């Protein structure tokens, strides 16, 4: 298991950070990565380490889940390894949403949006171009804000502003008439360097923490 958190001021001994002092059976190793004015701390714990807690928990999986829950309460998150791409647009007067996972694309109408949310819940990150699209599903999936990687937001952090998706489609020479084509373009935008009307930019990978550093 790997968990991560951003820090503005990292203590000398990362093992002193919560929740590790209360989990003495575990032997985490730490990796520090500078990100702007912050430091990304990644704690790696061997899965076998959790077997030392079987006198408390019924299984390794239960011990891992308990540790992760406590770590999340202290601002850590599991290092994301999976993601889906989400987009939505109005088609013939109906709002249609689309997901792309490992190249497999699916579309959803209002009657099947809960099925889409269940799929989102199974991945670590939801990649979307604009945060406006998140408003469509916040009511039924309020956790989306904590796992959404918003490309336009990341571009704006680097360049001060972000172009419309249509502008990027022209730069990349990709059609975006259909929902599937828009999903393909958004997936392309995850590749660095990203080309914009204001110049090229390198964005952090989807796995980087979304929270601000403490």
């Amino acid at each position: 298991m790997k968990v991560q958190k951003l820090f503005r001021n990292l203590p000398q001994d990362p093992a002193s950070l919560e929740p590790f002092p209360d989990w003495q059976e575990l032997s985490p190793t730490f990796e520090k990565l500078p990100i702007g004015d912050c430091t990304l701390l990644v704690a790696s714990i061997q899965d076998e380490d959790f077997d030392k807690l079987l006198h408390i928990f019924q299984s390794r999986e239960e011990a891992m889940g308990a540790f992760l829950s406590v770590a999340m309460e202290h601002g850590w998150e599991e290092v994301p390894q999976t993601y889906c791409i989400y987009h939505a647009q109005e088609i013939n007067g109906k709002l249609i949403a689309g997901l792309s996972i490992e190249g497999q694309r699916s579309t959803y109408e209002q009657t099947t949006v809960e099925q889409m949310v269940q799929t989102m819940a199974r991945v670590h990150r939801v990649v979307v171009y604009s945060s406006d699209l998140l408003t469509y599903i916040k009511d039924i999936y309020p956790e989306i804000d904590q796992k959404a990687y918003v490309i336009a937001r990341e571009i704006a952090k680097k360049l001060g502003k972000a172009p419309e998706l249509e502008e990027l489609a022209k730069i990349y020479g990709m059609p975006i008439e259909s929902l599937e084509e828009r999903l393909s373009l958004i997936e392309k935008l995850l590749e660095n360097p990203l080309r914009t009307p204001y110049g090229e930019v390198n964005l952090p990978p989807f796995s980087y923490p979304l929270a601000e550093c403490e």
Side-chain angles (χ1 to χ4, degrees), residues 97-204:
L99 286 188
S100 177
I101 301 178
E102 296 181 348
Q104 300 295 316
R105 297 180 177 86
S106 305
T107 57
Y108 304 86
E109 297 185 18
Q110 193 66 35
T111 55
T112 56
V113 70
E114 288 191 11
Q115 181 183 343
M116 180 186 74
V117 167
Q118 290 172 6
T119 302
M120 286 179 167
R122 291 197 292 268
V123 297
H124 292 114
R125 282 279 187 270
V126 176
V127 177
V128 63
Y129 184 72
S130 170
S131 59
D132 294 346
L133 295 170
L134 302 179
T135 58
Y136 299 135
I137 55 175
K138 275 187 182 179
D139 286 346
I140 60 172
Y141 192 35
E143 298 88 350
I144 188 65
D145 280 334
Q146 281 72 54
K147 64 190 303 182
Y149 179 90
V150 183
I151 294 177
R153 183 185 299 158
E154 297 300 327
I155 294 174
K157 286 180 184 177
K158 298 276 188 176
L159 301 178
K161 55 184 176 179
E164 296 294 327
L165 193 61
E166 289 75 11
E167 295 178 82
L168 294 174
K170 292 178 182 178
I171 291 175
Y172 279 86
M174 296 178 66
I176 54 170
E177 295 299 319
S178 69
L179 183 56
E180 290 79 6
E181 289 170 342
R182 287 175 178 258
L183 290 169
S184 295
L185 174 59
I186 295 169
E187 185 147 26
K188 183 69 176 176
L189 299 179
L190 291 174
E191 300 175 9
N192 282 323
L194 190 155
R195 291 177 281 149
T196 80
Y198 326 121
E200 293 187 349
V201 62
N202 288 306
L203 300 186

Side-chain angles (χ1 to χ4, degrees), residues 48-79:
E48 293 77 11
D49 261 15
F50 291 93
D51 291 345
K52 302 172 186 175
L53 295 165
L54 292 180
H55 63 290
I56 301 174
F57 300 98
Q58 293 186 347
S59 66
R60 177 192 294 181
E61 291 72 21
E62 184 181 341
M64 294 174 73
F67 170 78
L68 183 58
S69 294
V70 175
M72 290 173 67
E73 291 176 4
H74 291 283
W76 297 81
E77 70 165 351
E78 189 172 9
V79 175

